[in-house]
Amino acid sequence: MSDQTLSLPVAVSAAWLRDHRDEIVLVDSRWYLDGRSGREAHLNGHIPGAVHADVDTDLAAPASDEGGRHPLPAAADLARTLGRLGIGDHSAVVVYDDANGSVAARMVWMLRVLGTPAAFLDGGLQAWSGELERGEVRAEPVHRTAFPWPADRIVGTEELQRELADPDQLLLDARVHGRFTGEEPAPVDARAGHIPGARSAAWPANLAPDGLLASPEVLRERFAALGADTAGTVTAYCGSGVTACHDLLALEHAGFTHTRLYPGSWSRWGGDDSLPLETGDPLA
């Protein structure tokens, strides 16, 4: 991967995408918690040349009690998927959704922690002013080496449980505030509330009023107020390890480097009655 020449920030504009379209692999990762089909949305209209990656089947292993709704895929499985999408060892990738980057962030984070230049389209599909194309896009398959997940960028349930009382560890919950407090339980969750000691860092607050990613200065102030500037490690989680990646990319945009994902997220933790939870917001 040392031959890569294109460096990418965590987000790029639609204007940048037009100027560099031939230098990147473009991925449509639309997905919907309410059960709508992201693949159908893709077939009905996507940015020309974009391939489709499905959160459930391409960017996650099968759901399980032990792994939650969206466990990270095995390295070999992900390599096969990326190769099928035309993403090789030296590719640069731009991913988009229609949800302000909250879904695209999953694939972007996955690729970036594996050393692949990747960014989400700031503003999503709504920021694209060009024509859309319909139908299937099949990429020319390429070789992709199976790279293991960096151990320092992910954390499992048992390790996280041991760290809950460690003041050097900051745990951020990227879900909307009502789900964090337990006042708005999602129908897909077994229990309502949050992991003890977590702080609410709802992913929409990473956006500026225009719906684009906020500036590094604004985001640094936001996360510093939550304790990120003094924490040794910042771990993010959400419902199932998708929107937490938006927090992780926003943290990177703000200059924070010691960050991790808890992939099981609330779907794993909240689904286990033996694990403790809290409701309300201690900082409110």
Side-chain angles (χ1 to χ4, degrees):
M1 302 174 79
S2 59
D3 294 333
Q4 293 165 350
T5 57
L6 187 63
S7 177
L8 293 180
V10 300
V12 298
S13 68
W16 185 97
L17 178 59
R18 291 189 196 92
D19 291 342
H20 298 271
R21 179 65 188 89
D22 293 340
E23 302 173 60
I24 57 95
V25 178
L26 183 61
V27 180
D28 178 348
S29 70
R30 281 177 285 177
W31 173 85
Y32 306 100
L33 185 61
D34 61 12
R36 285 177 293 154
S37 170
R39 176 169 175 76
E40 286 301 316
H42 173 78
L43 293 174
N44 288 330
H46 54 262
I47 299 175
V51 293
H52 182 254
D54 181 71
V55 169
D56 293 326
T57 59
D58 293 326
L59 305 180
S64 67
D65 291 341
E66 185 58 34
R69 286 195 301 274
H70 292 116
L72 290 175
D77 293 337
L78 179 61
R80 282 191 291 271
T81 294
L82 295 178
R84 173 175 55 80
L85 296 175
I87 300 171
D89 292 350
H90 305 295
S91 298
V93 183
V94 173
V95 189
Y96 74 87
D97 57 26
D98 56 4
N100 298 102
S102 62
V103 175
R106 167 78 173 206
M107 187 174 191
V108 172
W109 179 85
M110 291 168 64
L111 291 170
R112 289 179 77 89
V113 299
L114 293 175
T116 295
F120 65 84
L121 177 59
D122 211 0
L125 181 60
Q126 297 89 329
W128 181 258
S129 59
E131 293 185 0
L132 302 181
E133 69 176 6
R134 296 169 60 90
E136 183 82 25
V137 176
R138 295 187 181 277
E140 183 70 27
V142 297
H143 170 75
R144 171 77 185 196
T145 303
F147 298 101
W149 296 110
D152 63 338
R153 302 304 303 274
I154 56 176
V155 61
T157 301
E158 291 184 1
E159 183 180 356
L160 184 63
Q161 192 174 13
R162 291 194 297 269
E163 294 176 351
L164 291 185
D166 185 347
D168 198 43
Q169 304 291 333
L170 175 63
L171 184 60
L172 300 180
D173 187 323
R175 297 175 298 166
V176 295
H177 191 253
R179 289 182 65 188
F180 173 84
T181 63
E183 296 170 306
E184 300 175 17
V188 292
D189 292 329
R191 299 188 294 168
H194 59 266
I195 299 174
R199 297 183 179 180
S200 178
W203 74 266
N206 297 327
L207 306 176
D210 60 5
L212 302 179
L213 186 65
S215 70
E217 295 76 18
V218 168
L219 290 171
R220 185 160 193 89
E221 182 177 356
R222 180 199 184 202
F223 290 117
L226 293 170
D229 56 339
T230 57
T233 301
V234 182
T235 301
Y237 77 94
C238 56
S240 65
V242 177
T243 58
C245 295
H246 199 280
D247 269 8
L248 292 171
L249 295 179
L251 283 159
E252 181 182 347
H253 191 52
F256 296 100
T257 56
H258 299 292
T259 62
R260 302 181 302 183
L261 174 68
Y262 171 39
S265 286
W266 189 248
S267 64
R268 166 64 178 94
W269 190 283
D272 187 340
D273 290 339
S274 71
L275 295 174
L277 61 76
E278 293 178 342
T279 57
D281 187 346
L283 299 183

PDB file of all heavy atoms in Angstrom, residues 47-87:
ATOM      1  N   ILE A  47     -25.120   8.201  -8.576  1.00  0.00           N
ATOM      2  CA  ILE A  47     -24.097   8.981  -9.270  1.00  0.00           C
ATOM      3  C   ILE A  47     -23.422   8.067 -10.292  1.00  0.00           C
ATOM      4  O   ILE A  47     -23.079   6.929  -9.975  1.00  0.00           O
ATOM      5  CB  ILE A  47     -23.072   9.542  -8.271  1.00  0.00           C
ATOM      6  CG1 ILE A  47     -23.765  10.481  -7.267  1.00  0.00           C
ATOM      7  CG2 ILE A  47     -21.962  10.291  -9.001  1.00  0.00           C
ATOM      8  CD1 ILE A  47     -22.850  10.994  -6.173  1.00  0.00           C
ATOM      9  N   PRO A  48     -23.265   8.528 -11.527  1.00  0.00           N
ATOM     10  CA  PRO A  48     -22.730   7.659 -12.580  1.00  0.00           C
ATOM     11  C   PRO A  48     -21.444   6.944 -12.182  1.00  0.00           C
ATOM     12  O   PRO A  48     -20.514   7.545 -11.642  1.00  0.00           O
ATOM     13  CB  PRO A  48     -22.488   8.631 -13.740  1.00  0.00           C
ATOM     14  CG  PRO A  48     -23.532   9.693 -13.539  1.00  0.00           C
ATOM     15  CD  PRO A  48     -23.631   9.856 -12.051  1.00  0.00           C
ATOM     16  N   GLY A  49     -21.448   5.642 -12.418  1.00  0.00           N
ATOM     17  CA  GLY A  49     -20.278   4.822 -12.172  1.00  0.00           C
ATOM     18  C   GLY A  49     -20.149   4.284 -10.769  1.00  0.00           C
ATOM     19  O   GLY A  49     -19.238   3.491 -10.491  1.00  0.00           O
ATOM     20  N   ALA A  50     -21.026   4.677  -9.856  1.00  0.00           N
ATOM     21  CA  ALA A  50     -20.913   4.220  -8.469  1.00  0.00           C
ATOM     22  C   ALA A  50     -21.331   2.761  -8.345  1.00  0.00           C
ATOM     23  O   ALA A  50     -22.357   2.353  -8.888  1.00  0.00           O
ATOM     24  CB  ALA A  50     -21.785   5.081  -7.556  1.00  0.00           C
ATOM     25  N   VAL A  51     -20.543   1.990  -7.620  1.00  0.00           N
ATOM     26  CA  VAL A  51     -20.932   0.629  -7.280  1.00  0.00           C
ATOM     27  C   VAL A  51     -21.678   0.683  -5.952  1.00  0.00           C
ATOM     28  O   VAL A  51     -21.570   1.658  -5.208  1.00  0.00           O
ATOM     29  CB  VAL A  51     -19.709  -0.303  -7.178  1.00  0.00           C
ATOM     30  CG1 VAL A  51     -19.062  -0.473  -8.535  1.00  0.00           C
ATOM     31  CG2 VAL A  51     -18.696   0.226  -6.159  1.00  0.00           C
ATOM     32  N   HIS A  52     -22.431  -0.363  -5.658  1.00  0.00           N
ATOM     33  CA  HIS A  52     -23.207  -0.359  -4.421  1.00  0.00           C
ATOM     34  C   HIS A  52     -22.617  -1.328  -3.413  1.00  0.00           C
ATOM     35  O   HIS A  52     -22.269  -2.475  -3.744  1.00  0.00           O
ATOM     36  CB  HIS A  52     -24.664  -0.750  -4.683  1.00  0.00           C
ATOM     37  CG  HIS A  52     -25.503  -0.713  -3.442  1.00  0.00           C
ATOM     38  ND1 HIS A  52     -25.918  -1.858  -2.793  1.00  0.00           N
ATOM     39  CD2 HIS A  52     -25.974   0.319  -2.718  1.00  0.00           C
ATOM     40  CE1 HIS A  52     -26.626  -1.523  -1.721  1.00  0.00           C
ATOM     41  NE2 HIS A  52     -26.668  -0.210  -1.662  1.00  0.00           N
ATOM     42  N   ALA A  53     -22.495  -0.871  -2.155  1.00  0.00           N
ATOM     43  CA  ALA A  53     -22.053  -1.723  -1.052  1.00  0.00           C
ATOM     44  C   ALA A  53     -23.138  -1.725   0.007  1.00  0.00           C
ATOM     45  O   ALA A  53     -23.579  -0.659   0.456  1.00  0.00           O
ATOM     46  CB  ALA A  53     -20.740  -1.214  -0.465  1.00  0.00           C
ATOM     47  N   ASP A  54     -23.565  -2.897   0.399  1.00  0.00           N
ATOM     48  CA  ASP A  54     -24.649  -3.033   1.366  1.00  0.00           C
ATOM     49  C   ASP A  54     -24.087  -3.171   2.778  1.00  0.00           C
ATOM     50  O   ASP A  54     -23.190  -3.988   3.021  1.00  0.00           O
ATOM     51  CB  ASP A  54     -25.490  -4.263   1.022  1.00  0.00           C
ATOM     52  CG  ASP A  54     -26.645  -4.448   1.989  1.00  0.00           C
ATOM     53  OD1 ASP A  54     -27.589  -3.646   1.937  1.00  0.00           O
ATOM     54  OD2 ASP A  54     -26.587  -5.391   2.807  1.00  0.00           O
ATOM     55  N   VAL A  55     -24.606  -2.383   3.700  1.00  0.00           N
ATOM     56  CA  VAL A  55     -24.123  -2.419   5.079  1.00  0.00           C
ATOM     57  C   VAL A  55     -24.298  -3.806   5.682  1.00  0.00           C
ATOM     58  O   VAL A  55     -23.410  -4.332   6.358  1.00  0.00           O
ATOM     59  CB  VAL A  55     -24.841  -1.355   5.932  1.00  0.00           C
ATOM     60  CG1 VAL A  55     -24.539  -1.556   7.414  1.00  0.00           C
ATOM     61  CG2 VAL A  55     -24.432   0.045   5.503  1.00  0.00           C
ATOM     62  N   ASP A  56     -25.459  -4.427   5.454  1.00  0.00           N
ATOM     63  CA  ASP A  56     -25.763  -5.709   6.085  1.00  0.00           C
ATOM     64  C   ASP A  56     -24.920  -6.858   5.545  1.00  0.00           C
ATOM     65  O   ASP A  56     -24.444  -7.701   6.318  1.00  0.00           O
ATOM     66  CB  ASP A  56     -27.241  -6.057   5.884  1.00  0.00           C
ATOM     67  CG  ASP A  56     -28.177  -5.116   6.623  1.00  0.00           C
ATOM     68  OD1 ASP A  56     -27.810  -4.660   7.721  1.00  0.00           O
ATOM     69  OD2 ASP A  56     -29.270  -4.831   6.099  1.00  0.00           O
ATOM     70  N   THR A  57     -24.731  -6.909   4.239  1.00  0.00           N
ATOM     71  CA  THR A  57     -24.104  -8.088   3.636  1.00  0.00           C
ATOM     72  C   THR A  57     -22.667  -7.867   3.177  1.00  0.00           C
ATOM     73  O   THR A  57     -21.896  -8.826   3.107  1.00  0.00           O
ATOM     74  CB  THR A  57     -24.927  -8.573   2.428  1.00  0.00           C
ATOM     75  OG1 THR A  57     -25.021  -7.514   1.462  1.00  0.00           O
ATOM     76  CG2 THR A  57     -26.334  -8.967   2.859  1.00  0.00           C
ATOM     77  N   ASP A  58     -22.293  -6.642   2.853  1.00  0.00           N
ATOM     78  CA  ASP A  58     -20.940  -6.367   2.358  1.00  0.00           C
ATOM     79  C   ASP A  58     -20.014  -5.807   3.443  1.00  0.00           C
ATOM     80  O   ASP A  58     -18.812  -6.073   3.425  1.00  0.00           O
ATOM     81  CB  ASP A  58     -20.982  -5.361   1.198  1.00  0.00           C
ATOM     82  CG  ASP A  58     -21.651  -5.929  -0.038  1.00  0.00           C
ATOM     83  OD1 ASP A  58     -21.512  -7.140  -0.283  1.00  0.00           O
ATOM     84  OD2 ASP A  58     -22.319  -5.159  -0.757  1.00  0.00           O
ATOM     85  N   LEU A  59     -20.568  -5.024   4.358  1.00  0.00           N
ATOM     86  CA  LEU A  59     -19.743  -4.301   5.325  1.00  0.00           C
ATOM     87  C   LEU A  59     -19.903  -4.845   6.743  1.00  0.00           C
ATOM     88  O   LEU A  59     -19.474  -4.205   7.706  1.00  0.00           O
ATOM     89  CB  LEU A  59     -20.088  -2.810   5.298  1.00  0.00           C
ATOM     90  CG  LEU A  59     -19.993  -2.149   3.922  1.00  0.00           C
ATOM     91  CD1 LEU A  59     -20.366  -0.676   4.005  1.00  0.00           C
ATOM     92  CD2 LEU A  59     -18.585  -2.306   3.339  1.00  0.00           C
ATOM     93  N   ALA A  60     -20.513  -6.009   6.871  1.00  0.00           N
ATOM     94  CA  ALA A  60     -20.703  -6.624   8.180  1.00  0.00           C
ATOM     95  C   ALA A  60     -20.748  -8.137   8.046  1.00  0.00           C
ATOM     96  O   ALA A  60     -21.141  -8.670   7.005  1.00  0.00           O
ATOM     97  CB  ALA A  60     -21.989  -6.122   8.833  1.00  0.00           C
ATOM     98  N   ALA A  61     -20.355  -8.803   9.101  1.00  0.00           N
ATOM     99  CA  ALA A  61     -20.568 -10.242   9.211  1.00  0.00           C
ATOM    100  C   ALA A  61     -22.020 -10.473   9.620  1.00  0.00           C
ATOM    101  O   ALA A  61     -22.719  -9.535  10.018  1.00  0.00           O
ATOM    102  CB  ALA A  61     -19.613 -10.828  10.246  1.00  0.00           C
ATOM    103  N   PRO A  62     -22.521 -11.697   9.527  1.00  0.00           N
ATOM    104  CA  PRO A  62     -23.901 -11.964   9.946  1.00  0.00           C
ATOM    105  C   PRO A  62     -24.149 -11.562  11.393  1.00  0.00           C
ATOM    106  O   PRO A  62     -23.292 -11.734  12.256  1.00  0.00           O
ATOM    107  CB  PRO A  62     -24.036 -13.477   9.748  1.00  0.00           C
ATOM    108  CG  PRO A  62     -23.052 -13.815   8.682  1.00  0.00           C
ATOM    109  CD  PRO A  62     -21.893 -12.890   8.932  1.00  0.00           C
ATOM    110  N   ALA A  63     -25.316 -11.022  11.658  1.00  0.00           N
ATOM    111  CA  ALA A  63     -25.688 -10.607  13.008  1.00  0.00           C
ATOM    112  C   ALA A  63     -25.691 -11.811  13.948  1.00  0.00           C
ATOM    113  O   ALA A  63     -26.003 -12.935  13.547  1.00  0.00           O
ATOM    114  CB  ALA A  63     -27.059  -9.952  12.997  1.00  0.00           C
ATOM    115  N   SER A  64     -25.353 -11.552  15.223  1.00  0.00           N
ATOM    116  CA  SER A  64     -25.339 -12.622  16.209  1.00  0.00           C
ATOM    117  C   SER A  64     -25.484 -12.011  17.593  1.00  0.00           C
ATOM    118  O   SER A  64     -25.262 -10.809  17.791  1.00  0.00           O
ATOM    119  CB  SER A  64     -24.038 -13.425  16.136  1.00  0.00           C
ATOM    120  OG  SER A  64     -22.935 -12.631  16.548  1.00  0.00           O
ATOM    121  N   ASP A  65     -25.861 -12.842  18.563  1.00  0.00           N
ATOM    122  CA  ASP A  65     -25.952 -12.360  19.933  1.00  0.00           C
ATOM    123  C   ASP A  65     -24.599 -11.888  20.430  1.00  0.00           C
ATOM    124  O   ASP A  65     -24.502 -10.908  21.184  1.00  0.00           O
ATOM    125  CB  ASP A  65     -26.476 -13.470  20.850  1.00  0.00           C
ATOM    126  CG  ASP A  65     -27.935 -13.816  20.596  1.00  0.00           C
ATOM    127  OD1 ASP A  65     -28.639 -12.981  19.989  1.00  0.00           O
ATOM    128  OD2 ASP A  65     -28.354 -14.910  21.001  1.00  0.00           O
ATOM    129  N   GLU A  66     -23.554 -12.550  20.023  1.00  0.00           N
ATOM    130  CA  GLU A  66     -22.215 -12.221  20.504  1.00  0.00           C
ATOM    131  C   GLU A  66     -21.630 -11.005  19.793  1.00  0.00           C
ATOM    132  O   GLU A  66     -20.868 -10.231  20.383  1.00  0.00           O
ATOM    133  CB  GLU A  66     -21.272 -13.417  20.300  1.00  0.00           C
ATOM    134  CG  GLU A  66     -19.876 -13.224  20.877  1.00  0.00           C
ATOM    135  CD  GLU A  66     -19.877 -12.941  22.383  1.00  0.00           C
ATOM    136  OE1 GLU A  66     -20.749 -13.480  23.094  1.00  0.00           O
ATOM    137  OE2 GLU A  66     -18.993 -12.199  22.829  1.00  0.00           O
ATOM    138  N   GLY A  67     -21.991 -10.797  18.526  1.00  0.00           N
ATOM    139  CA  GLY A  67     -21.386  -9.714  17.757  1.00  0.00           C
ATOM    140  C   GLY A  67     -22.259  -8.511  17.538  1.00  0.00           C
ATOM    141  O   GLY A  67     -21.783  -7.469  17.092  1.00  0.00           O
ATOM    142  N   GLY A  68     -23.565  -8.636  17.818  1.00  0.00           N
ATOM    143  CA  GLY A  68     -24.481  -7.538  17.549  1.00  0.00           C
ATOM    144  C   GLY A  68     -25.015  -7.581  16.128  1.00  0.00           C
ATOM    145  O   GLY A  68     -24.836  -8.567  15.406  1.00  0.00           O
ATOM    146  N   ARG A  69     -25.673  -6.488  15.728  1.00  0.00           N
ATOM    147  CA  ARG A  69     -26.336  -6.482  14.415  1.00  0.00           C
ATOM    148  C   ARG A  69     -25.368  -6.333  13.244  1.00  0.00           C
ATOM    149  O   ARG A  69     -25.645  -6.806  12.152  1.00  0.00           O
ATOM    150  CB  ARG A  69     -27.375  -5.350  14.356  1.00  0.00           C
ATOM    151  CG  ARG A  69     -28.631  -5.619  15.164  1.00  0.00           C
ATOM    152  CD  ARG A  69     -29.761  -4.677  14.790  1.00  0.00           C
ATOM    153  NE  ARG A  69     -29.443  -3.273  14.982  1.00  0.00           N
ATOM    154  CZ  ARG A  69     -29.589  -2.616  16.130  1.00  0.00           C
ATOM    155  NH1 ARG A  69     -30.014  -3.267  17.204  1.00  0.00           N
ATOM    156  NH2 ARG A  69     -29.302  -1.336  16.224  1.00  0.00           N
ATOM    157  N   HIS A  70     -24.236  -5.663  13.465  1.00  0.00           N
ATOM    158  CA  HIS A  70     -23.295  -5.429  12.360  1.00  0.00           C
ATOM    159  C   HIS A  70     -21.853  -5.673  12.803  1.00  0.00           C
ATOM    160  O   HIS A  70     -21.055  -4.735  12.871  1.00  0.00           O
ATOM    161  CB  HIS A  70     -23.444  -4.000  11.815  1.00  0.00           C
ATOM    162  CG  HIS A  70     -24.725  -3.751  11.113  1.00  0.00           C
ATOM    163  ND1 HIS A  70     -25.676  -2.844  11.562  1.00  0.00           N
ATOM    164  CD2 HIS A  70     -25.249  -4.298   9.989  1.00  0.00           C
ATOM    165  CE1 HIS A  70     -26.705  -2.836  10.744  1.00  0.00           C
ATOM    166  NE2 HIS A  70     -26.474  -3.713   9.786  1.00  0.00           N
ATOM    167  N   PRO A  71     -21.493  -6.921  13.089  1.00  0.00           N
ATOM    168  CA  PRO A  71     -20.093  -7.199  13.437  1.00  0.00           C
ATOM    169  C   PRO A  71     -19.186  -6.858  12.252  1.00  0.00           C
ATOM    170  O   PRO A  71     -19.611  -6.917  11.089  1.00  0.00           O
ATOM    171  CB  PRO A  71     -20.082  -8.706  13.713  1.00  0.00           C
ATOM    172  CG  PRO A  71     -21.523  -9.108  13.846  1.00  0.00           C
ATOM    173  CD  PRO A  71     -22.301  -8.142  13.029  1.00  0.00           C
ATOM    174  N   LEU A  72     -17.951  -6.517  12.534  1.00  0.00           N
ATOM    175  CA  LEU A  72     -17.010  -6.302  11.443  1.00  0.00           C
ATOM    176  C   LEU A  72     -16.789  -7.615  10.698  1.00  0.00           C
ATOM    177  O   LEU A  72     -16.666  -8.667  11.323  1.00  0.00           O
ATOM    178  CB  LEU A  72     -15.680  -5.776  11.979  1.00  0.00           C
ATOM    179  CG  LEU A  72     -15.686  -4.350  12.529  1.00  0.00           C
ATOM    180  CD1 LEU A  72     -14.329  -4.023  13.136  1.00  0.00           C
ATOM    181  CD2 LEU A  72     -16.061  -3.342  11.453  1.00  0.00           C
ATOM    182  N   PRO A  73     -16.719  -7.567   9.375  1.00  0.00           N
ATOM    183  CA  PRO A  73     -16.491  -8.805   8.622  1.00  0.00           C
ATOM    184  C   PRO A  73     -15.076  -9.322   8.821  1.00  0.00           C
ATOM    185  O   PRO A  73     -14.156  -8.563   9.147  1.00  0.00           O
ATOM    186  CB  PRO A  73     -16.717  -8.376   7.165  1.00  0.00           C
ATOM    187  CG  PRO A  73     -16.415  -6.915   7.158  1.00  0.00           C
ATOM    188  CD  PRO A  73     -16.852  -6.394   8.496  1.00  0.00           C
ATOM    189  N   ALA A  74     -14.907 -10.627   8.629  1.00  0.00           N
ATOM    190  CA  ALA A  74     -13.576 -11.210   8.675  1.00  0.00           C
ATOM    191  C   ALA A  74     -12.727 -10.606   7.571  1.00  0.00           C
ATOM    192  O   ALA A  74     -13.231 -10.202   6.518  1.00  0.00           O
ATOM    193  CB  ALA A  74     -13.660 -12.726   8.504  1.00  0.00           C
ATOM    194  N   ALA A  75     -11.422 -10.534   7.800  1.00  0.00           N
ATOM    195  CA  ALA A  75     -10.514  -9.887   6.849  1.00  0.00           C
ATOM    196  C   ALA A  75     -10.618 -10.494   5.454  1.00  0.00           C
ATOM    197  O   ALA A  75     -10.659  -9.776   4.445  1.00  0.00           O
ATOM    198  CB  ALA A  75      -9.082  -9.978   7.366  1.00  0.00           C
ATOM    199  N   ALA A  76     -10.684 -11.811   5.373  1.00  0.00           N
ATOM    200  CA  ALA A  76     -10.753 -12.459   4.063  1.00  0.00           C
ATOM    201  C   ALA A  76     -12.066 -12.156   3.361  1.00  0.00           C
ATOM    202  O   ALA A  76     -12.098 -11.946   2.138  1.00  0.00           O
ATOM    203  CB  ALA A  76     -10.573 -13.971   4.221  1.00  0.00           C
ATOM    204  N   ASP A  77     -13.154 -12.129   4.118  1.00  0.00           N
ATOM    205  CA  ASP A  77     -14.453 -11.829   3.521  1.00  0.00           C
ATOM    206  C   ASP A  77     -14.486 -10.394   3.000  1.00  0.00           C
ATOM    207  O   ASP A  77     -15.002 -10.128   1.905  1.00  0.00           O
ATOM    208  CB  ASP A  77     -15.569 -12.024   4.548  1.00  0.00           C
ATOM    209  CG  ASP A  77     -15.734 -13.482   4.949  1.00  0.00           C
ATOM    210  OD1 ASP A  77     -15.336 -14.361   4.163  1.00  0.00           O
ATOM    211  OD2 ASP A  77     -16.264 -13.733   6.050  1.00  0.00           O
ATOM    212  N   LEU A  78     -13.957  -9.464   3.782  1.00  0.00           N
ATOM    213  CA  LEU A  78     -13.941  -8.077   3.339  1.00  0.00           C
ATOM    214  C   LEU A  78     -13.060  -7.915   2.107  1.00  0.00           C
ATOM    215  O   LEU A  78     -13.418  -7.186   1.172  1.00  0.00           O
ATOM    216  CB  LEU A  78     -13.435  -7.170   4.462  1.00  0.00           C
ATOM    217  CG  LEU A  78     -13.356  -5.673   4.109  1.00  0.00           C
ATOM    218  CD1 LEU A  78     -14.729  -5.121   3.756  1.00  0.00           C
ATOM    219  CD2 LEU A  78     -12.734  -4.880   5.242  1.00  0.00           C
ATOM    220  N   ALA A  79     -11.937  -8.599   2.066  1.00  0.00           N
ATOM    221  CA  ALA A  79     -11.048  -8.497   0.905  1.00  0.00           C
ATOM    222  C   ALA A  79     -11.754  -8.970  -0.364  1.00  0.00           C
ATOM    223  O   ALA A  79     -11.623  -8.349  -1.426  1.00  0.00           O
ATOM    224  CB  ALA A  79      -9.771  -9.302   1.146  1.00  0.00           C
ATOM    225  N   ARG A  80     -12.520 -10.055  -0.255  1.00  0.00           N
ATOM    226  CA  ARG A  80     -13.262 -10.539  -1.425  1.00  0.00           C
ATOM    227  C   ARG A  80     -14.299  -9.517  -1.863  1.00  0.00           C
ATOM    228  O   ARG A  80     -14.484  -9.269  -3.063  1.00  0.00           O
ATOM    229  CB  ARG A  80     -13.923 -11.881  -1.108  1.00  0.00           C
ATOM    230  CG  ARG A  80     -12.979 -13.066  -1.136  1.00  0.00           C
ATOM    231  CD  ARG A  80     -13.735 -14.381  -1.076  1.00  0.00           C
ATOM    232  NE  ARG A  80     -14.350 -14.581   0.226  1.00  0.00           N
ATOM    233  CZ  ARG A  80     -13.744 -15.179   1.250  1.00  0.00           C
ATOM    234  NH1 ARG A  80     -12.503 -15.619   1.121  1.00  0.00           N
ATOM    235  NH2 ARG A  80     -14.376 -15.350   2.398  1.00  0.00           N
ATOM    236  N   THR A  81     -14.995  -8.925  -0.902  1.00  0.00           N
ATOM    237  CA  THR A  81     -16.005  -7.924  -1.230  1.00  0.00           C
ATOM    238  C   THR A  81     -15.375  -6.723  -1.907  1.00  0.00           C
ATOM    239  O   THR A  81     -15.868  -6.238  -2.941  1.00  0.00           O
ATOM    240  CB  THR A  81     -16.744  -7.475   0.043  1.00  0.00           C
ATOM    241  OG1 THR A  81     -17.491  -8.576   0.560  1.00  0.00           O
ATOM    242  CG2 THR A  81     -17.679  -6.320  -0.244  1.00  0.00           C
ATOM    243  N   LEU A  82     -14.292  -6.204  -1.326  1.00  0.00           N
ATOM    244  CA  LEU A  82     -13.648  -5.027  -1.896  1.00  0.00           C
ATOM    245  C   LEU A  82     -13.106  -5.329  -3.294  1.00  0.00           C
ATOM    246  O   LEU A  82     -13.234  -4.496  -4.206  1.00  0.00           O
ATOM    247  CB  LEU A  82     -12.522  -4.552  -0.976  1.00  0.00           C
ATOM    248  CG  LEU A  82     -12.970  -4.040   0.400  1.00  0.00           C
ATOM    249  CD1 LEU A  82     -11.753  -3.650   1.234  1.00  0.00           C
ATOM    250  CD2 LEU A  82     -13.930  -2.871   0.274  1.00  0.00           C
ATOM    251  N   GLY A  83     -12.516  -6.496  -3.477  1.00  0.00           N
ATOM    252  CA  GLY A  83     -12.032  -6.859  -4.805  1.00  0.00           C
ATOM    253  C   GLY A  83     -13.160  -6.893  -5.823  1.00  0.00           C
ATOM    254  O   GLY A  83     -13.003  -6.443  -6.973  1.00  0.00           O
ATOM    255  N   ARG A  84     -14.310  -7.427  -5.421  1.00  0.00           N
ATOM    256  CA  ARG A  84     -15.477  -7.470  -6.321  1.00  0.00           C
ATOM    257  C   ARG A  84     -15.962  -6.072  -6.676  1.00  0.00           C
ATOM    258  O   ARG A  84     -16.454  -5.836  -7.777  1.00  0.00           O
ATOM    259  CB  ARG A  84     -16.598  -8.262  -5.647  1.00  0.00           C
ATOM    260  CG  ARG A  84     -17.928  -8.246  -6.414  1.00  0.00           C
ATOM    261  CD  ARG A  84     -18.962  -9.136  -5.761  1.00  0.00           C
ATOM    262  NE  ARG A  84     -19.193  -8.813  -4.367  1.00  0.00           N
ATOM    263  CZ  ARG A  84     -19.969  -7.797  -3.956  1.00  0.00           C
ATOM    264  NH1 ARG A  84     -20.554  -6.999  -4.838  1.00  0.00           N
ATOM    265  NH2 ARG A  84     -20.142  -7.588  -2.656  1.00  0.00           N
ATOM    266  N   LEU A  85     -15.803  -5.126  -5.743  1.00  0.00           N
ATOM    267  CA  LEU A  85     -16.231  -3.747  -5.986  1.00  0.00           C
ATOM    268  C   LEU A  85     -15.195  -2.934  -6.755  1.00  0.00           C
ATOM    269  O   LEU A  85     -15.423  -1.752  -7.036  1.00  0.00           O
ATOM    270  CB  LEU A  85     -16.532  -3.057  -4.652  1.00  0.00           C
ATOM    271  CG  LEU A  85     -17.697  -3.633  -3.847  1.00  0.00           C
ATOM    272  CD1 LEU A  85     -17.796  -2.936  -2.492  1.00  0.00           C
ATOM    273  CD2 LEU A  85     -19.013  -3.505  -4.619  1.00  0.00           C
ATOM    274  N   GLY A  86     -14.060  -3.560  -7.075  1.00  0.00           N
ATOM    275  CA  GLY A  86     -13.023  -2.852  -7.819  1.00  0.00           C
ATOM    276  C   GLY A  86     -12.075  -2.065  -6.941  1.00  0.00           C
ATOM    277  O   GLY A  86     -11.339  -1.200  -7.429  1.00  0.00           O
ATOM    278  N   ILE A  87     -12.060  -2.363  -5.643  1.00  0.00           N
ATOM    279  CA  ILE A  87     -11.203  -1.654  -4.692  1.00  0.00           C
ATOM    280  C   ILE A  87      -9.990  -2.527  -4.392  1.00  0.00           C
ATOM    281  O   ILE A  87     -10.090  -3.533  -3.687  1.00  0.00           O
ATOM    282  CB  ILE A  87     -11.968  -1.322  -3.398  1.00  0.00           C
ATOM    283  CG1 ILE A  87     -13.173  -0.442  -3.720  1.00  0.00           C
ATOM    284  CG2 ILE A  87     -11.049  -0.643  -2.394  1.00  0.00           C
ATOM    285  CD1 ILE A  87     -14.116  -0.240  -2.545  1.00  0.00           C
TER     286      ILE A  87
END
